[in-house]
Amino acid sequence: MTVGVVVVGALLCSTAAIASRTHEDRTTDVRRAVEGGTAKNVIMFLGDGMGDSEITIARNYAVGAAGRLNMDSLPLTGAYTTYAVKKGTLSVPDYVTDSAASGTGWATGRKTYNNAVSVDPVTLAPLRTLLENAQAAGYRTGNVSTAELTDATPAVLDSHVSARACQGPADMAQCPSEPKQAGGLGSIAEQTVDHNVDVLLGGGKARFAQLVTGGPYAGQSVTAQATAQGYNVITDQAGLTAAQPGTKVLGLFSGGNMDLEWTGPLAAPYPGPAATGCTQSNPARPASQPHLSDMTAKAIELLSTKVKGDKRKGFYLQVEGASIDKQDHAANPCGQIGETVEFDRSIKVALEWVKKNPDTLIVVTGDHGHTSQIIEAQSATDHSPGSIATLITADGEPMVINYATNLPGKSMSHTGTQIRVAAQGPQAANVVGITDQTELNHTIARALGLE
Ligand SMILES: [Zn+2]
């Protein structure tokens, strides 16, 4: 049924009856996939800046136009709107969201302004998050990202600040009333540790090395604060492999964002770089740095293993592929595709695990649209005014990718389009149709029995 499809490694999804491309009537399969009730576990995968275009580019490149990614196999799919609101208002739309406002949408069920991390857009008061409610209801929690753990998407679950730049205690210039000595909750790094999340894995070591300026840990680094609060702080794959369930883990695998998976030419004005394939490795990436799929597998292991004396019932885990967005900003198609492919491998890890743990809701979505577009062949007289790159895909055919939301060489812009949201497991049917991202908050909350 998939004759002629180029298969690259284990990427191509092999099971998932509903996603199969036969011509059968799928009504019964879809009906079977609709489950209400509650889940023991929820795993949410978030591709930052991963719109339909980014998914299609990665699919074409990695498995060919007729191939399917792991994320394509989830049985129930819809789209959601992601707009932010203007600061000081509850409902005046800001059509293009950033990751902070977008993340606040599913983390709290409320719209806020671009730059805000889980605070009210009018009063700036903290908004209660899914992670906080899950903890209170007796779930283990995990937060995994390829970005700094203090970046907006991980931060929306375990922090509340009026400006996303307030990542470490030395970064508080935009939040003068929020350091602990001013009576605030402190920087995102401090709040992340204060929140007692069981598994924290990502980049951002330098933020956690900053010295705390107020409260009981003043004068110590945030890393020292984490150790004092019972965290096993690890910095490489060996530490990740050795980590045992029953102890909270703070994994900081890079000074800043984690290193890219793939390399290749940046897009440039017509005619762009010569048509090529991507290099599916990055010499700058240390071998000791885990991949997102490694972190996902370990997070699931740590959160799902029964520990004597721990009566908590299940877990809530968020996994972010962060640099899809960052490389879209940089007009770096191979960087962007490599991050999407590794994100998809992480989804495969979870899909394999849920075969034996079906009482799990899995959600795969993005937080906002982005720049990259697949466009027609270019010529000297008809071409994009932006930057282009031509990649030879798994089909052996050229794919022209265009970046034109800013001038060549400058940081490309997010876009305001609706975003795919796909799911399987209890409550997954609630992603079907056109929803708003704030609805996802309630879908996950219902799955966890929180509402
Ligand atoms: Zn971005």
Side-chain angles (χ1 to χ4, degrees), residues 325 329 368 370 414:
D325 165 79
H329 280 297
H368 52 74
H370 219 307
H414 298 176

Side-chain angles (χ1 to χ4, degrees), residues 1-2 13-22 26 29-30 66-77 420 424:
M1 92 192 156
T2 55
C13 107
S14 55
T15 50
I18 292 176
S20 72
R21 279 146 294 135
T22 63
R26 298 182 304 139
D29 287 338
V30 173
R68 289 293 178 266
L69 299 167
N70 296 297
M71 70 175 87
D72 296 331
S73 73
L74 274 76
L76 299 166
T77 302
R420 180 205 282 197
Q424 74 172 46

Side-chain angles (χ1 to χ4, degrees), residues 283-309:
R285 180 177 229 283
S288 59
Q289 193 177 110
H291 301 276
L292 185 59
S293 53
D294 300 323
M295 296 196 290
T296 303
K298 190 68 183 191
I300 292 173
E301 178 200 323
L302 292 172
L303 291 168
S304 66
T305 304
K306 279 209 172 70
V307 175
K308 211 177 168 194

Side-chain angles (χ1 to χ4, degrees), residues 164-184:
R164 58 183 287 177
C166 301
Q167 296 188 56
D171 306 319
M172 298 300 282
Q174 291 180 37
C175 312
S177 65
E178 292 165 78
K180 286 189 177 172
Q181 66 271 30

Side-chain angles (χ1 to χ4, degrees), residues 135-168:
Q135 285 180 321
Y139 289 93
R140 300 185 191 91
T141 54
N143 203 350
V144 175
S145 177
T146 53
E148 299 183 78
L149 281 171
T150 50
D151 203 359
T153 304
V156 295
L157 288 181
D158 52 31
S159 303
H160 308 270
V161 284
S162 62
R164 58 183 287 177
C166 301
Q167 296 188 56

Side-chain angles (χ1 to χ4, degrees), residues 48-49 97-99 164 322 325-326 328-329 367-370 411-414:
D48 203 305
T97 190
D98 75 349
S99 296
R164 58 183 287 177
D325 165 79
K326 295 179 196 305
D328 223 327
H329 280 297
D367 58 352
H368 52 74
H370 219 307
S411 178
M412 296 294 151
S413 165
H414 298 176

Side-chain angles (χ1 to χ4, degrees), residues 320-400:
E320 183 200 22
S323 291
I324 302 167
D325 165 79
K326 295 179 196 305
Q327 296 315 304
D328 223 327
H329 280 297
N332 177 1
C334 289
Q336 172 190 321
I337 293 167
E339 296 308 297
T340 313
V341 167
E342 179 60 23
F343 179 66
D344 194 57
R345 284 197 187 106
S346 308
I347 294 165
K348 182 181 169 74
V349 167
L351 291 173
E352 288 296 320
W353 184 80
V354 298
K355 283 180 186 168
K356 288 187 180 147
N357 298 273
D359 47 354
T360 301
L361 169 65
I362 292 190
V363 178
V364 178
T365 188
D367 58 352
H368 52 74
H370 219 307
T371 305
S372 57
Q373 292 285 337
I374 305 163
I375 62 170
E376 296 171 13
Q378 304 283 284
S379 72
T381 53
D382 290 284
H383 61 253
S384 165
S387 296
I388 58 170
T390 303
L391 296 179
I392 306 302
T393 69
D395 299 309
E397 291 295 317
M399 170 171 63
V400 181

